[in-house]
Amino acid sequence: MELEKLTALQLADKIKKHEVSVLDGVKEVFSKIEEKDGRIHAYLDTYKKEAYARAKEVEKGIEDGTYTGPLAGVPIAIKDNICVQGKPTTCASKILEGFVPQYQADVISRLEKAGMIIIGKTNMDEFAMGSTTETSAYGITRNPWNTEHVPGGSSGGSCAAVAAGEAYLALGSDTGGSIRQPSSYCGVTGMKPTYGTVSRYGLVAYASSLDQIGPIGKDVADCAALLEVIASHDPKDSTSIDRKDLDFSSEMTDKITGMKFGVPKEYLSEGISPEVKDAFMETLKVLTQMGAIVEFFSVKTMEYMIPAYYIIASAEASSNLERFDGVKYGYRAKEYDGLHDMYKRTRTEGFGEEVKRRIMLGSFVLSSGYYDAYYLKALRTKALIKKEFDQAFGKYDVLLAPAAPYTAPKIGESLKDPMAMYLGDIYTVAVNLCGLPGITVPCGKDSAGLPIGIQMIGDCFMERKILRAAHAYESVRGDFGTPEEGGKRA
């Protein structure tokens, strides 16, 4: 039996039917990690001993009825900006060297209650600042479809792990597309829920008003099932919403007849790769053949999305990262002269170039002379963008967009031009600025065999609609394949 080809739900079903054991699934994941991760580097840390012990405990819990959920017994990887009690959390940064949290994220507690097994922590862009997983202080992650290319970012380690069969499921965080864009690059399915649906308690903050934890899986059904596990109201998170409509798996139908899809025509103008555009247009044809109504409309605020996003995100990052100063925990410079010199040397040595760039930008726009001119203006622009999307959802059930303007670039290309890397987020940042849910589903490959993803965006709290649309499209598209079947072997 080829366990690596099973989805998370299929594996859990076989465990319940006693066709395989919980330990079999865990062993399969670690065998893939041992076989591939020396080249891909999806993980920063793995918990083999603990996972084997946990597998036996979960097996017993399934037998006695303690764990009855649809994902009981499934191994899962965690992005390394989500705290697991007693395990190092680095955010892929030198400045958190040696930091071991004495508490854990709410999502981790919920995974454990569901009978899932944590395999380890995945690599990421430092403090989630980047789009390629090349800014990690602990080395780059490579794309399993072609190891000369990036996996995207900042949740590149989580997406690469799922794509390579090194995890059945993974958690990532999405601040401006950090789940959806690497999901597109790696040919997996990734989802950003409505802001406030998943607790941010235990997530190391980048931009607090934009960050959201979300699921990454092999298909839409796996993402829906994992979202049901992690979504909840958490009194420890002041932005957490008490929702009653958390039954996402019930929307796994194949019928989208009569659903209205809107496509912002500005998203298909200059800058998009011809191959990405062709795959996107072909997907629109498929949806139309399935009985959906697809229409183009105009988004007038598109040119302001990237500036507004990077001003707001950098401002919040500047504030959030102020706490990392070498005093209480993490890295501290070995040589310094007095307290202020210790701050300066610690932060100079501890932060990478991209993080420093965003801290400086954020500090600038928050300074007294520029606060009104930049930060307040960006907040007003964010409100205008939200208003325009609200108007669009008055007409359409789901909005469609490419997940990225091009397929995964080669390693080293993006870091040469940070501005070009920022502009690559053009299709994803509005979802975070507006607090909307979005999902990326693989929809094709380019001439080099690299995956292309389509993004489906819903109105606030309308995860069901985008899950339904994504699942329906997926059922017609059929099996997308794996890197071994369609890419350059990892």
Side-chain angles (χ1 to χ4, degrees):
M1 183 184 298
E2 293 182 306
L3 291 182
E4 65 178 285
K5 291 188 176 179
L6 298 177
T7 67
L9 286 170
Q10 288 169 344
L11 174 67
D13 186 57
K14 286 186 176 295
I15 288 170
K16 287 184 179 67
K17 292 176 179 175
H18 304 289
E19 294 175 19
V20 298
S21 70
V22 176
L23 195 57
D24 289 335
V26 173
K27 284 180 176 177
E28 174 64 25
V29 166
F30 278 107
S31 73
K32 293 299 176 193
I33 292 172
E34 288 161 14
E35 176 191 337
K36 298 179 180 182
D37 209 55
R39 183 134 173 81
I40 294 173
H41 190 43
Y43 285 89
L44 292 178
D45 195 11
T46 54
Y47 313 145
K48 188 172 183 179
K49 182 180 175 183
E50 295 90 333
Y52 276 39
R54 171 74 173 155
K56 292 176 183 175
E57 176 193 320
V58 170
E59 189 88 60
K60 197 177 293 182
I62 291 172
E63 290 293 323
D64 64 23
T66 303
Y67 302 120
T68 58
L71 292 176
V74 175
I76 185 168
I78 309 296
K79 186 176 179 180
D80 198 27
N81 60 348
I82 300 171
C83 293
V84 176
Q85 187 174 5
K87 296 294 182 184
T89 295
T90 70
C91 292
S93 179
K94 185 179 177 182
I95 207 160
L96 275 175
E97 193 176 84
F99 171 62
V100 179
Q102 299 307 303
Y103 65 98
Q104 69 185 13
D106 181 71
V107 290
I108 301 300
S109 300
R110 294 187 65 80
L111 295 177
E112 291 179 346
K113 286 176 187 173
M116 300 183 75
I117 296 143
I118 295 166
I119 294 299
K121 290 290 199 75
T122 57
N123 200 12
M124 56 184 282
D125 282 299
E126 184 181 6
F127 280 103
M129 298 181 195
S131 304
T132 61
T133 314
E134 292 177 281
T135 68
S136 169
Y138 301 104
I140 63 174
T141 296
R142 296 174 180 271
N143 192 318
W145 289 84
N146 187 327
T147 51
E148 294 175 3
H149 291 250
V150 303
S154 62
S155 304
S158 290
C159 292
V162 174
E166 296 179 29
Y168 286 93
L169 288 167
L171 286 186
S173 66
D174 194 308
T175 306
S178 295
I179 288 174
R180 289 160 289 140
Q181 181 251 40
S183 293
S184 175
Y185 284 1
C186 290
V188 296
T189 301
M191 184 175 183
K192 181 241 171 232
T194 301
Y195 184 77
T197 297
V198 179
S199 171
R200 291 186 301 109
Y201 178 77
L203 172 68
V204 180
Y206 162 17
S208 305
S209 73
L210 308 172
D211 298 337
Q212 189 68 179
I213 295 170
I216 298 160
K218 294 182 180 181
D219 65 8
V220 178
D222 278 2
C223 282
L226 181 53
L227 183 57
E228 286 181 348
V229 171
I230 62 174
S232 70
H233 176 249
D234 180 9
K236 298 185 296 297
D237 175 7
S238 62
T239 63
S240 178
I241 296 168
D242 190 6
R243 293 181 59 176
K244 308 300 180 189
D245 57 334
L246 299 177
D247 177 18
F248 303 114
S249 296
S250 62
E251 288 298 320
M252 297 296 102
T253 70
D254 299 339
K255 295 178 181 178
I256 56 171
T257 303
M259 281 187 79
K260 293 190 74 174
F261 291 81
V263 182
K265 56 187 178 185
E266 287 82 1
Y267 282 17
L268 300 176
S269 55
E270 58 185 277
I272 187 170
S273 150
E275 290 185 300
V276 170
K277 186 174 181 179
D278 289 346
F280 181 77
M281 296 304 291
E282 185 59 36
T283 305
L284 299 188
K285 284 184 190 174
V286 171
L287 293 170
T288 303
Q289 290 164 1
M290 293 171 68
I293 300 163
V294 179
E295 295 177 357
F296 287 84
F297 71 102
S298 185
V299 174
K300 297 181 179 65
T301 55
M302 183 172 172
E303 64 181 293
Y304 307 113
M305 291 174 184
I306 290 287
Y309 168 77
Y310 275 100
I311 288 171
I312 293 168
S314 297
E316 293 186 17
S318 173
S319 178
N320 279 324
L321 271 61
E322 188 178 24
R323 71 195 70 174
F324 304 115
D325 53 15
V327 175
K328 305 177 200 67
Y329 49 76
Y331 176 80
R332 179 185 293 181
K334 290 181 173 56
E335 296 181 8
Y336 50 86
D337 182 18
L339 181 64
H340 287 285
D341 191 50
M342 188 271 284
Y343 288 156
K344 186 167 70 173
R345 288 177 182 269
T346 295
R347 291 167 68 83
T348 299
E349 295 170 16
F351 288 131
E353 292 302 314
E354 184 59 35
V355 174
K356 289 176 191 171
R357 185 180 292 116
R358 299 196 194 195
I359 289 174
M360 289 173 68
L361 174 60
S363 299
F364 174 77
V365 301
L366 289 176
S367 62
S368 59
Y370 299 97
Y371 183 86
D372 290 351
Y374 291 101
Y375 184 64
L376 286 185
K377 199 171 282 185
L379 291 179
R380 292 189 193 103
T381 303
K382 175 184 175 182
L384 289 174
I385 295 168
K386 178 69 166 71
K387 183 179 179 182
E388 194 161 28
F389 273 82
D390 286 345
Q391 289 170 348
F393 285 117
K395 300 176 185 176
Y396 305 110
D397 296 301
V398 175
L399 304 185
L400 300 174
Y406 37 73
T407 53
K410 283 195 170 182
I411 288 167
E413 284 182 359
S414 297
L415 295 187
K416 293 176 187 173
D417 187 355
M419 188 59 69
M421 181 174 70
Y422 299 164
L423 292 172
D425 295 334
I426 186 63
Y427 304 135
T428 54
V429 295
V431 169
N432 300 80
L433 288 171
C434 302
L436 306 171
I439 189 168
T440 292
V441 184
C443 68
K445 300 183 184 78
D446 69 6
S447 55
L450 291 167
I452 298 169
I454 187 170
Q455 185 183 187
M456 300 187 179
I457 302 165
D459 199 359
C460 289
F461 313 118
M462 291 294 134
E463 282 87 353
R464 280 192 176 92
K465 285 186 178 180
I466 60 172
L467 285 166
R468 179 180 168 192
H471 180 72
Y473 167 71
E474 185 182 68
S475 66
V476 172
R477 183 208 66 202
D479 183 30
F480 187 71
T482 64
E484 282 74 12
E485 296 164 344
K488 186 175 178 180
R489 189 176 179 85

